[in-house]
Every structure is written in C-alpha cells, then in structure tokens.
Amino acid sequence: MRGLLAQAICDRGTTPLALGIGHFTALNEVNLTVAAGEKIVLCGPSGSGKSTLIRCINHIEKHDAGRIVVDGIELSDRMTDVNGIRREVGMVFQSFNLFPHLSVVENCMLAPMKVRGLSRQEARERAIGLLRKVRIHDQASKYPGQLSGGQQQRVAIARALCMQPKIMLFDEPTSALDPEMVKEVLDTMVELAKDGMTMVCVTHEMGFAREIADRVVFMDRGSIVEEADPETFFRAPRTERARDFLGQIIH
C-alpha cells in the first residue's frame, strides 16, 4: 500500500477544508487524499478552485478552515515549519518565474545551494543531470530570455526537481505556451509520471489526463463534484455538470 503523502481533508467531527476571499468562496468542503506515487489531474471550469487548492497545499494560500497534511505534517499547526514543507513540494506555475539575470544552470543550482546546502559542484552536477532529463542540457549556459516558452517551462520543471521534492504540483503549465510548444512540456511531464513522481496537475489537456492520471478530480464552484479513474470519468461521468464540461472541451 502506498504511503499517504498529502491530504486536504474533512475528518469526522472536523470542519472541511474551506477558503473564502472577500465574499467569494474559493474552496468549500474539499476532501482529497494523494498517495505517494499517485498522479492526480484536477480539471474544471475557470474559477472552480483548482489552482487555489494546490496553492493551499504549498501554503501559498492560507485556508480558513479544515486541515491540510503534507507528508505527515499538518500545515494548519501554528508551529509548522512552512519552509520545511516547501522544500519537499515542487511547484511549476503558468508563468515560468525564472531569474532573468541567471543562466539556465544557475537558475537550477540556486535553491539546492541555498536551501539544501549543496556545494557549487554538487549543485551543478545535479542541475546538469536534470536538465538532461528534460532534454534541454544543451541550453545550460543560456539565459531565460534566449529560450522559447516551452524551453523555459522545461527549465522550470528541472529547477523544481533539483530540490528532489516528494510531490510536484503543476498549475496549468502549458496554458501560456503556443500550441506547438505544448507537446514538449507534456512529454516531459509524462516521463516524470512514468518515473513514479507523485503529481497533482491542474490542466485542461485531457489527452494528458487520459495517459497519466490515476484519478481525475473534477471541481466546480470551489468543490469537488466527482472523481474517478480516467476511463470512467471520460466514458461515463456521473454528474450532469461534468458531462457539460467535457462536451465543451472534447470534440
């Protein structure tokens, strides 16, 4: 049985995970568990709470109620070392967020040196190895501005992997890319999934979801409406809301 890695939970007798922003309910009664090695795809319409949920897992957003547990550590505990949790959680955003004044390899070396305490040589060896893994090691000496969007996103993935995280969170990593660049990023994510990385991915790339997901979680209006394995979800979604959503994005 795979170990439990992350939870956004509603235990019996406790309050479900919730987050409000002003008068808007961003998350409402969310109950989700992610096992080590599992691949979860979050999908749903814009504003349904997908990105907010994974930002809560990394404690970028703070929830108002409920419990979040990552690798056995509860984030709602005031004594929690949030930076310690973030060392174990890699995150890739829609925008690449690379440091423009650092080369590709320096972008990847910085956090392992500053946070993990690696020597410059150790950090460089790790960075080059992971840049090779995402098939962009030949661009190591270039600066982000010299790369295409797809190349920059692969660097962002390598940079996150350099911290050797226990779980990777992806927030629509292909949404800012030109169509011809999407495949190279998705191919990188597929290889990562096949290597056994625990992943929670927010995406509208349904072909990708079919290929790598253990579970597809459909959200709407801040809540989880349904979740199922990809074959069941795409062939026979239980709810009318999910059927409407799939009818709009799958032609």
Side-chain angles (χ1 to χ4, degrees):
M1 181 176 179
R2 291 179 292 187
L4 190 64
L5 190 57
Q7 293 177 290
I9 57 179
C10 167
D11 284 339
R12 186 173 298 173
T14 67
T15 306
L17 183 68
L19 171 65
I21 302 174
H23 298 294
F24 177 70
T25 301
L27 295 175
N28 182 40
E29 298 190 357
V30 170
N31 190 334
L32 179 69
T33 63
V34 182
E38 197 171 18
K39 289 79 180 164
I40 306 296
V41 167
L42 301 179
C43 65
S46 298
S48 60
K50 310 179 299 296
S51 295
T52 301
L53 176 56
I54 64 170
R55 289 169 69 88
C56 282
I57 294 173
N58 209 16
H59 214 54
I60 296 172
E61 301 284 356
K62 296 181 180 180
H63 54 293
D64 296 324
R67 302 173 61 220
I68 298 177
V69 181
V70 178
D71 198 27
I73 301 173
E74 185 168 341
L75 288 181
S76 42
D77 185 343
R78 292 184 180 180
M79 301 303 292
T80 295
D81 178 6
V82 173
N83 288 329
I85 290 294
R86 288 175 178 160
R87 283 194 288 269
E88 310 303 330
V89 180
M91 189 159 181
V92 178
F93 299 86
Q94 297 177 30
S95 54
F96 320 123
N97 296 323
L98 300 174
F99 295 113
H101 64 291
L102 297 179
S103 69
V104 164
V105 70
E106 288 170 339
N107 264 279
C108 294
M109 292 168 57
L110 185 62
M113 292 170 58
K114 296 290 187 182
V115 180
R116 296 289 195 193
L118 268 64
S119 69
R120 185 171 184 84
Q121 181 62 30
E122 290 171 326
R124 183 177 179 83
E125 289 175 1
R126 181 181 294 182
I128 292 296
L130 287 165
L131 288 169
R132 181 173 286 109
K133 184 180 183 66
V134 301
R135 301 184 305 281
I136 201 167
H137 60 285
D138 57 333
Q139 308 291 325
S141 62
K142 291 186 177 180
Y143 289 84
Q146 297 175 288
L147 305 182
S148 69
Q151 289 174 323
Q152 290 188 62
Q153 193 62 291
R154 281 187 283 156
V155 173
I157 293 171
R159 180 177 64 176
L161 291 174
C162 278
M163 287 293 288
Q164 298 184 329
K166 294 181 178 178
I167 182 171
M168 285 284 288
L169 309 176
F170 293 89
D171 186 8
E172 298 194 50
T174 61
S175 65
L177 302 178
D178 293 334
E180 64 268 20
M181 298 177 185
V182 169
K183 185 178 183 300
E184 62 189 55
V185 173
L186 292 179
D187 285 348
T188 298
M189 294 170 65
V190 167
E191 289 184 17
L192 190 60
K194 290 179 178 178
D195 286 344
M197 174 60 72
T198 308
M199 299 167 63
V200 181
C201 309
V202 175
T203 183
H204 291 299
E205 301 290 343
M206 295 297 98
F208 169 78
R210 286 178 184 269
E211 182 173 359
I212 70 100
D214 294 306
R215 276 185 291 152
V216 177
V217 176
F218 176 71
M219 297 186 67
D220 189 34
R221 298 183 180 181
S223 299
I224 293 176
V225 176
E226 67 175 280
E227 56 182 297
D229 63 90
E231 182 180 355
T232 300
F233 180 75
F234 290 109
R235 177 177 50 82
R238 298 191 316 272
T239 63
E240 174 122 7
R241 185 66 188 90
R243 288 193 291 271
D244 288 345
F245 174 77
L246 290 174
Q248 292 176 21
I249 66 171
I250 297 178
H251 303 287

